[in-house]
């Protein structure tokens, strides 16, 4: 895990250890309330970073996937803005069920 990511997780962990339960509940509530917006912003920032990686000379979905330690299809999903399970993906033209 990167140092930056670890600091984020350490800060989240620290919230659970606030001694005063009122302060702890408020702090946790603030974070929980902001998470959906932050999650969207983080996904967009990751998408931009992956696009930058793909713009490098000679870069491919496979090379970027290898660099990030993820499958090339995950790189493709990130670039397209997909997340979660495949059930939310738009169906391709001519695809049949079954």
């Amino acid at each position: 895990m990167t140092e930056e990511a670890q600091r984020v997780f350490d800060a989240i962990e620290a919230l659970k250890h606030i001694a005063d339960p009122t302060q702890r509940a408020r702090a946790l509530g603030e974070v929980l309330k902001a998470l959906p917006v932050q999650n969207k912003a983080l996904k967009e920032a990751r998408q931009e970073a992956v696009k930058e990686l793909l713009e490098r000379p000679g870069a491919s979905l496979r090379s970027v996937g290898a660099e990030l330690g993820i499958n090339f299809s995950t790189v493709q999903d990130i670039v397209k803005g997909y997340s979660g399970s495949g059930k939310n993906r738009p169906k391709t033209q001519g695809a049949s069920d079954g």
Side-chain angles (χ1 to χ4, degrees):
M1 181 177 301
T2 65
E3 183 180 333
E4 294 83 0
Q6 187 61 55
R7 285 196 307 259
V8 170
F9 287 110
D10 289 347
I12 290 170
E13 185 63 27
L15 292 172
K16 297 188 285 184
H17 300 287
I18 295 172
D20 180 87
T22 301
Q23 290 178 349
R24 184 170 62 242
R26 284 184 179 158
L28 290 165
E30 289 171 8
V31 171
L32 288 168
K33 183 177 178 182
L35 276 179
V37 172
Q38 289 301 318
N39 194 38
K40 184 174 189 275
L42 288 170
K43 286 180 182 180
E44 289 171 356
R46 178 183 64 176
Q47 182 182 32
E48 289 305 311
V50 170
K51 285 179 179 180
E52 285 180 43
L53 292 171
L54 286 168
E55 290 171 358
R56 297 182 306 189
S60 68
L61 294 172
R62 288 189 189 279
S63 68
V64 169
E67 185 174 349
L68 298 177
I70 58 178
N71 192 288
F72 78 93
S73 62
T74 303
V75 174
Q76 187 174 37
D77 287 349
I78 292 168
V79 170
K80 291 181 178 181
Y82 299 150
S83 63
S85 70
K87 69 181 180 183
N88 297 323
R89 308 258 189 299
K91 294 195 180 207
T92 57
Q93 293 288 353
S96 62
D97 291 342

